[in-house]
Amino acid sequence: MDFLVAQFLNGLASASSLFLVASGLSIIFGVTRIVNFAHGAFYMLGAYIAYTLATTIPQPFGFWLALPLSALVVAAIGAVVEMTVLRRIYAAPELFQLLATFGITLMVEDLVVMIWGPEDLLGPRAPGLEGAIPIMGQLFPTYDLLVIAMGPLVLLGLWLLFHRTRWGVLVRAATQDRTMVAALGVNQKWLFTSVFTLGIFLAALGGALQIPREAVHHALDLQIIVEVFVIVVVGGLGNVLGAFLAAVLIAELNAFGILLFPKISLVLMFLVMAVVLVVRPWGLLGKPDAEARASIGQAIEPLRRMGPVSLAVSGLLVAALAALPLVAGPYLVIVTMELLIFALFAASLHLMMGVGGMVSFGHAAYFGLGAYGAALLVRFLGVPMELGILLGPLLALAGAILFGWFIVRLSGVYLAMLTLAFAQIVWSIIFQWYDVTGGDNGILGIWPARWASDPKVYYYIVLVLCVAGLVAIRRVIFSPFGYAVRACRDSTTRAEAIGLDRRRVQWMCFALAGAFAGVGGTLYAYLKGSVFPDVISIATSVDGLVMVLLGGIQTVAGPIVGAVAYKALSIYMTSQVEYWQLILGGLIVVLVVAFPEGIAGFWQARVAPRLRAATGRGWEARS
Amino acid sequence: MTALQVDTLCKSFGGVRAVDEVSFTLGETELLALIGPNGAGKSTCFNMLNGQIRPDVGTIRLFGRDITGTPPRAVWRLGVGRTFQITATFGSMTVMENVQVALLSHHRRLRALIPYAGALYRDEAMALLDLVGMADQAARACGTLAYGDLKRLELAVALANEPRVLLMDEPTAGMAPQERVQLMRLTADIVRDKGVSVLFTEHDMDVVFGHADRVMVLDRGRLVAEGTPSEVRANAEVQQIYLGSGALYGAEASA
Amino acid sequence: MMLEVRDLNAWYGRAHILFDVTLGVERGTVVALLGRNGAGKTTTFASLIGLVPSVTGAVTFDGEPIQGRPAHEIVRRGLGYVPEDRRIFTGLTVEENLMVGAQPPRPGVPHWTPEMLYELFPNLAELRKRQGGHMSGGEQQMLTIARTLMGNPSLVLLDEPSEGLAPRIVEQMAQALIEMKRQGLTLILSEQNLHFARLISDRATIIEGGRVRFAGTFADLDANPEISAQHLAV
């Protein structure tokens, strides 16, 4: 009993810290509509800077000055980021904003390693609150009581700020209708900057508060951002009180889950989120998004089948790829296989995201299920490669059918978060089900059949299957079913009014996309000869997103271009540059600011019309 | 035979009665207008008829068959076409493709994964576009159409399943005067040639009084008058709440 | 001229909405902008207030060019905007809605306080703590106007202020607008209701297909019934 109380208080302390970060994220989303992926990075930065300040300013003031000072410094950095990057892309589709903040995250991750080194840093104890006090017979750290108090205090402070100041009223008004606020004489730019700065201040304060409680390290950002996303979504986007309740719920779940269900402790949070979202599609206290936003991938320019020139170029490209092993060395062949596999992965994501309008933060789940499908068949049944390649993707298909049923019940950011939840569930199962999946150690020895053991031979299997997959995806997009998918994305009202069952159509689309990703995953497993839980990690899902967005979501060729460009770049960078994330992140930010429509989209919107104008071919003439 | 029979339809939103005990019938090949001030409940009424909103109370019968609470896609399959007050079209497709999707759905071919959709039902789509005078714009991107043309496209889409009942929510809003007359003539022709029954809402009284067989007036969720155009036009209560003008001149005196 | 618009063109994406719109409004007058749905009235207002990103042409307000300026700067110069569809902040109370619109006083124009607005719109006085979402359509429309007046504008653009309101409310609305005019405000209102427009306005401008088709007094309009017939379908 006493132990349970202590555990409960522990949970509350974590909840406070999570709430600080989540409230900031929620406020920023409410007003700017930006899903700030970099929020975790600012949290981490808050912790690092607080560590430095607390260890350089003499105690006892050092520590207590470090907390607010660090939050202020990071908030100032946040303000600069908002003014230089985000301000330029508020009009861009929300996913590009996400992409930009992801780029910032990459940069910050490398920067903290450059400045503070890769080691874990242990912060000083809080002067005056070093000890512990007995609570029901258990010693409980005094400092944690302060942390527990911070949550409700910040909640109260935010409530007063939003209801008792003009600034707060403006923020609430802008959350509902920011254009109208501007039309009443309020300078949106500064309102956005101030909101973003406040949000980052809270995140950094959350990070700074943690330094006596846990070590500071350079992976803190991803660790917290996922939990905070879950909290914000469970609470209801943009709802601060909801975020508080969800923070307590999730933190207590973590505190007790590890005691009650140690085997599925990692999954628990995501299970709860999945249940909440299925029962309450807009979170505990959230409201349906009244503002109808143009959905992702919606284009004015209709998709077109390839003209003779594009067909010829594609044919030549495939021919060149077929000839590659004759001239290239094994390294280039292996790299090309990886590019092909990821092109298929990105194209499958584009099918559901660009064509279907369903954004996925967890597409890696199906890639990973394809890989593990083959690996498990090899490990337990010893099936030959030929059969493994055929059956492996079925696991991905089954997963997509199962999860898809839930996912198509939601839309927008909530749908995206549910895909993330399911991906994390898959990852956790594979990570924790050691007896079957080998957990962290993965499954080894998934090699191609003897006749295909030469990379140059396996290359042709990959080439044939990936090209076939890409052609098939393209075919589906232009098939009647593809039109049904686009119809549901463009206008659900109209689609339902002409006899389409939106959920069913989207469910099928989701299953198809999962199956194609699974093919990629299976091929990847045989390419690497092994699988590890990494293939399902958030990083892989985000890689897919970056590829699609970089290439351009409104074109069919975009994701392929994006996959090749991004993957080639990251393979090159990881091998050549020490701080490759910094450069990659910077590149992403620059690309998003310069080309908010993506590379292929930029080509189609800006370059192609000029070419057409120059050659005198208007689109009317091509019909 | 009545095409639609609506009995004591009620719908409340947050305690406000948006539609309050509305009953009426739509006869076969009748052009019936539903008019009333904004917010009177016309759109809510429409949304219940095609299944977008489930009524709290009341029944809707389509040729005698109870369709209350049937989802829109099923209502459509039973032969009810719909155009929307705010046009709902597929912005990423061409004009022709918009109609083709409706035709593919009508012929239950939308599950097909292999054929090239753009090549299917082209002639039928063209015929429908021709009917509404949009044939020359078939290849245009839907997102670049003028508002009035979107309305005509919606009509073509609504006709794709050879409907027996058409629900048209403000069909001529945003169109030029001659276009309005043309569209309503076209609608009247369709009613006559194809035996379709039409229920429409409209703010343009020229359209209503010029084309409707019968007019119903809705105010604050209740049907307050019903009759031939001339009867409704002469109704003092309708003049008071909707057709107006007299009331406004009264304001001049008090100002 | 208090507001002078010359050759205004506006685009939404690639769609060209306004074509060479030219307008002039004298101080203290009321101009009615007439035309159908989709004729370009709302786009004209949105362009004047700085809410349409791609606009060309020259707009001068109180002798200073304002085209291309951001919305909040234009509003702070005294150009108030009452949008169509009310667009009040439904999660905020009446008082808070008014607070959002508040701007510092400006010389030469009436300085509105919430109390004065509660006098102008007596319905609102009892509702000051009420959330915007829990008000009737007429009350919301009055709040929209009151909220804009809190910015102490010298010229107010009203987009379809009588749309969808019961005649009784339309009468109150007309009285309020006449009172605003008496206080020295200049108004431009877009209307489909000719009777309402005629009651309040000094001059009429007809817009159709994104072009100005007529500008003059109501007497001129009455003298040329074919103009109304062609562009207003009356």
Side-chain angles (χ1 to χ4, degrees):
Chain A
M1 182 62 208
D2 308 341
F3 172 68
L4 290 185
V5 170
Q7 194 66 6
F8 178 74
L9 290 175
N10 251 329
L12 282 187
S14 307
S16 273
S17 173
L18 286 172
F19 167 66
L20 288 194
V21 188
S23 62
L25 188 71
S26 202
I27 295 166
I28 290 174
F29 176 81
V31 175
T32 66
R33 297 274 140 182
I34 282 192
V35 178
N36 181 24
F37 198 95
H39 215 63
F42 287 112
Y43 163 88
M44 176 169 73
L45 218 46
Y48 270 111
I49 292 177
Y51 169 85
T52 300
L53 290 173
T55 47
T56 45
I57 309 174
Q59 299 297 4
F61 304 110
F63 178 85
W64 295 111
L65 278 175
L67 299 191
L69 272 183
S70 142
L72 283 173
V73 169
V74 178
I77 297 171
V80 171
V81 167
E82 196 277 343
M83 286 187 277
T84 51
V85 178
L86 300 182
R87 202 176 262 190
R88 295 165 197 278
I89 56 171
Y90 280 125
E94 57 192 341
L95 274 177
F96 283 98
Q97 302 162 348
L98 187 78
L99 194 58
T101 57
F102 171 70
I104 294 166
T105 307
L106 284 180
M107 293 169 74
V108 171
E109 275 186 10
D110 262 9
L111 280 172
V112 297
V113 176
M114 281 169 77
I115 299 170
W116 284 280
E119 306 82 20
D120 285 13
L121 303 176
L122 279 170
R125 292 286 185 88
L129 298 179
E130 293 100 335
I133 53 165
I135 293 177
M136 298 186 73
Q138 295 267 329
L139 280 179
F140 190 77
T142 323
Y143 179 75
D144 285 14
L145 288 178
L146 172 81
V147 175
I148 290 177
M150 281 303 282
L153 277 177
V154 168
L155 180 63
L156 180 70
L158 287 175
W159 191 88
L160 289 174
L161 187 61
F162 286 137
H163 290 85
R164 291 288 178 268
T165 68
R166 176 160 194 263
W167 183 84
V169 171
L170 293 182
V171 168
R172 281 162 57 217
T175 301
Q176 187 191 338
D177 187 345
R178 52 190 185 182
T179 314
M180 198 57 235
V181 171
L184 287 168
V186 176
N187 188 342
Q188 273 197 85
K189 272 188 185 168
W190 290 110
L191 191 64
F192 280 27
T193 306
S194 58
V195 164
F196 192 81
T197 309
L198 172 69
I200 297 305
F201 177 85
L202 290 169
L205 188 61
L209 270 177
Q210 285 297 85
I211 56 168
R213 302 185 73 225
E214 64 175 328
V216 183
H217 60 89
H218 59 95
L220 272 182
D221 57 343
L222 280 187
Q223 188 185 316
I224 191 125
I225 192 68
V226 174
E227 266 180 84
V228 165
F229 270 154
V230 170
I231 287 167
V232 168
V233 165
V234 167
L237 279 173
N239 190 308
V240 174
L241 181 61
F244 182 77
L245 296 178
V248 173
L249 177 72
I250 297 295
E252 291 300 345
L253 205 67
N254 284 342
F256 287 101
I258 199 107
L259 301 175
L260 299 174
F261 315 102
K263 290 234 159 190
I264 57 160
S265 55
L266 295 174
V267 186
L268 219 48
M269 171 171 83
F270 298 101
L271 276 179
V272 168
M273 168 158 116
V275 170
V276 167
L277 285 186
V278 169
V279 178
R280 290 191 62 91
W282 294 280
L284 292 175
L285 298 184
K287 291 193 198 104
D289 212 354
E291 192 188 350
R293 283 162 60 82
S295 61
I296 183 86
Q298 197 152 346
I300 296 287
E301 192 83 347
L303 294 178
R304 273 164 213 295
R305 287 217 293 180
M306 285 191 194
V309 178
S310 313
L311 261 178
V313 170
S314 311
L316 278 176
L317 205 65
V318 173
L321 283 169
L324 185 85
L326 307 178
V327 291
Y331 177 72
L332 191 59
V333 168
I334 289 172
V335 167
T336 310
M337 278 194 264
E338 234 178 276
L339 296 185
L340 281 166
I341 289 169
F342 277 94
L344 180 61
F345 176 57
S348 74
L349 177 58
H350 174 258
L351 176 63
M352 65 174 285
M353 204 164 105
V355 183
M358 296 175 283
V359 176
S360 176
F361 290 172
H363 203 52
Y366 311 99
F367 188 76
L369 282 175
Y372 269 93
L376 291 170
L377 285 171
V378 171
R379 180 174 175 189
F380 289 102
L381 300 176
V383 300
M385 176 197 79
E386 294 84 346
L387 208 57
I389 287 182
L390 214 60
L391 299 181
L394 290 183
L395 188 62
L397 176 66
I401 289 174
L402 174 66
F403 298 143
W405 188 86
F406 294 97
I407 283 167
V408 298
R409 257 136 248 277
L410 306 182
S411 59
V413 180
Y414 290 97
L415 182 149
M417 294 312 297
L418 195 58
T419 59
L420 173 67
F422 283 128
Q424 284 307 99
I425 289 173
V426 171
W427 178 84
S428 312
I429 290 172
I430 283 172
F431 192 81
Q432 287 188 320
W433 202 4
Y434 188 84
D435 299 339
V436 173
T437 62
D440 215 6
N441 296 332
I443 299 174
L444 308 178
I446 311 143
W447 294 112
R450 181 169 296 169
W451 62 268
S453 59
D454 182 351
K456 292 192 177 185
V457 178
Y458 186 62
Y459 173 86
Y460 284 102
I461 298 178
V462 171
L463 179 66
V464 167
L465 286 177
C466 286
V467 169
L470 291 173
V471 170
I473 289 175
R474 214 187 148 83
R475 189 89 206 184
V476 166
I477 292 174
F478 289 98
S479 76
F481 177 72
Y483 276 76
V485 171
R486 279 159 60 196
C488 291
R489 176 199 69 193
D490 283 3
S491 168
T492 304
T493 321
R494 170 50 71 197
E496 292 268 347
I498 58 165
L500 275 74
D501 185 341
R502 176 190 65 86
R503 282 185 186 170
R504 185 171 283 267
V505 168
Q506 291 193 333
W507 190 22
M508 274 181 72
C509 174
F510 193 88
L512 264 179
F516 281 115
V519 173
T522 299
L523 291 173
Y524 190 70
Y526 282 105
L527 170 67
K528 294 286 171 181
S530 56
V531 285
F532 297 97
D534 286 12
V535 286
I536 308 169
S537 66
I538 295 170
T540 311
S541 291
V542 171
D543 277 356
L545 273 178
V546 175
M547 290 169 193
V548 172
L549 295 175
L550 218 51
I553 196 158
Q554 298 178 348
T555 59
V556 184
I560 302 171
V561 176
V564 171
Y566 179 79
K567 199 70 198 171
L569 198 67
S570 64
I571 290 173
Y572 173 76
M573 297 263 251
T574 37
S575 62
Q576 300 292 323
V577 188
E578 191 183 355
Y579 293 111
W580 63 274
Q581 289 201 87
L582 182 64
I583 296 169
L584 196 64
L587 212 60
I588 289 175
V589 171
V590 169
L591 281 175
V592 169
V593 171
F595 311 111
E597 326 82 330
I599 300 169
F602 177 79
W603 174 271
Q604 202 174 61
R606 301 285 150 81
V607 185
R610 297 215 177 131
L611 285 180
R612 254 182 263 148
T615 53
R617 290 169 64 211
W619 57 262
E620 282 94 346
R622 297 210 301 165
S623 57
Chain B
M1 182 107 192
T2 52
L4 270 179
Q5 181 164 4
V6 174
D7 273 314
T8 58
L9 217 52
C10 297
K11 182 74 197 179
S12 301
F13 295 111
V16 182
R17 278 268 167 118
V19 172
D20 195 0
E21 298 196 357
V22 167
S23 302
F24 66 90
T25 57
L26 169 67
E28 220 166 340
T29 72
E30 189 180 22
L31 245 170
L32 176 61
L34 180 64
I35 64 173
N38 273 20
K42 300 189 299 284
S43 287
T44 308
C45 209
F46 258 56
N47 288 340
M48 285 193 281
L49 293 181
N50 90 318
Q52 255 177 289
I53 301 178
R54 178 182 279 273
D56 298 333
V57 180
T59 55
I60 302 158
R61 287 175 194 282
L62 177 70
F63 292 99
R65 174 177 181 164
D66 190 346
I67 59 161
T68 318
T70 310
R73 54 178 183 275
V75 172
W76 185 77
R77 297 236 177 258
L78 293 170
V80 179
R82 163 99 201 241
T83 67
F84 293 91
Q85 186 177 355
I86 299 162
T87 53
T89 51
F90 305 130
S92 75
M93 301 182 196
T94 65
V95 168
M96 161 87 90
E97 286 169 343
N98 265 272
V99 184
Q100 280 174 302
V101 172
L103 286 164
L104 284 164
S105 176
H106 177 49
H107 294 282
R108 296 180 179 273
R109 299 259 331 249
L110 274 178
R111 298 275 178 80
L113 288 169
I114 306 299
Y116 172 53
L120 300 172
Y121 305 111
R122 285 188 73 92
D123 296 343
E124 290 93 325
M126 208 44 145
L128 283 168
L129 288 174
D130 202 31
L131 186 67
V132 299
M134 290 283 292
D136 51 338
Q137 306 200 53
R140 280 188 72 173
C142 180
T144 64
L145 289 184
Y147 193 66
D149 291 339
L150 279 175
K151 289 265 175 191
R152 290 196 284 169
L153 170 58
E154 271 213 311
L155 181 58
V157 168
L159 289 173
N161 67 331
E162 296 158 19
R164 292 188 294 170
V165 171
L166 261 183
L167 304 174
M168 302 172 79
D169 206 351
E170 299 199 14
T172 72
M175 293 181 125
Q178 308 91 314
E179 280 185 314
R180 291 175 184 231
V181 173
Q182 279 167 11
L183 187 91
M184 286 319 288
R185 278 204 193 119
L186 171 67
T187 308
D189 288 347
I190 293 167
V191 166
R192 198 184 54 241
D193 299 343
K194 307 202 174 210
V196 181
S197 316
V198 177
L199 174 67
F200 70 105
T201 68
E202 188 54 68
H203 276 308
D204 185 332
M205 290 307 111
D206 286 346
V207 167
V208 171
F209 293 126
H211 298 275
D213 298 324
R214 202 155 54 92
V215 180
M216 297 186 297
V217 187
L218 200 64
D219 182 43
R220 283 179 244 168
R222 301 188 73 97
L223 273 184
V224 294
E226 191 246 293
T228 64
S230 50
E231 284 167 7
V232 167
R233 205 202 288 249
N235 183 314
E237 191 187 356
V238 177
Q239 288 176 354
Q240 164 73 21
I241 60 154
Y242 186 64
L243 299 175
S245 77
L248 260 182
Y249 292 124
E252 200 166 31
S254 61
Chain C
M1 285 285 165
M2 183 174 200
L3 179 76
E4 232 181 322
V5 180
R6 226 173 316 113
D7 296 332
L8 186 69
N9 282 269
W11 291 261
Y12 279 122
R14 293 187 201 173
H16 195 168
I17 310 288
L18 295 183
F19 301 83
D20 303 327
V21 168
T22 296
L23 285 171
V25 181
E26 298 282 359
R27 191 175 301 277
T29 60
V30 179
V31 174
L33 196 58
L34 306 173
R36 263 189 306 275
N37 276 348
K41 305 190 298 288
T42 298
T43 307
T44 304
F45 281 178
S47 306
L48 293 181
I49 209 76
L51 292 177
V52 180
S54 42
V55 166
T56 63
V59 183
T60 46
F61 177 59
D62 271 342
E64 301 217 20
I66 57 166
Q67 78 275 12
R69 307 304 309 162
H72 70 272
E73 276 186 28
I74 295 175
V75 171
R76 286 178 187 182
R77 285 170 193 233
L79 194 61
Y81 172 52
V82 179
E84 62 180 342
D85 302 330
R86 322 212 209 301
R87 286 179 78 171
I88 57 156
F89 304 112
T90 48
L92 272 53
T93 63
V94 168
E95 281 180 340
E96 288 173 334
N97 266 281
L98 294 181
M99 199 194 284
V100 176
Q103 292 289 336
R106 200 184 326 261
V109 291
H111 172 48
W112 297 91
T113 62
E115 293 313 317
M116 291 163 67
L117 289 165
Y118 294 143
E119 240 169 77
L120 185 64
F121 300 105
N123 307 27
L124 296 182
E126 309 138 33
L127 304 173
R128 35 187 102 180
K129 299 285 181 197
R130 178 82 62 93
Q131 282 213 339
H134 299 151
M135 292 163 62
S136 75
E139 290 157 357
Q140 290 190 351
Q141 181 64 294
M142 293 182 181
L143 177 56
T144 320
I145 296 176
R147 186 179 64 181
T148 299
L149 290 181
M150 283 296 286
N152 306 314
S154 49
L155 189 158
V156 184
L157 311 174
L158 297 124
D159 202 352
E160 311 227 354
S162 76
E163 173 76 7
L165 300 181
R168 199 173 52 84
I169 308 290
V170 177
E171 276 176 45
Q172 291 178 5
M173 189 64 69
Q175 284 178 24
L177 295 186
I178 289 166
E179 173 61 23
M180 282 159 64
K181 182 182 173 188
R182 207 185 55 80
Q183 299 243 8
L185 291 187
T186 310
L187 309 177
I188 309 180
L189 59 137
S190 86
E191 261 306 325
Q192 308 228 39
N193 182 340
L194 256 183
H195 307 301
F196 182 82
R198 187 187 293 269
L199 180 64
I200 297 160
S201 319
D202 305 303
R203 299 174 67 83
T205 296
I206 294 178
I207 190 161
E208 169 63 35
R211 292 183 164 86
V212 173
R213 308 292 178 158
F214 169 85
T217 63
F218 276 90
D220 297 337
L221 190 58
D222 292 337
N224 299 286
E226 74 282 356
I227 294 177
S228 332
Q230 190 187 345
H231 300 298
L232 302 175
V234 288

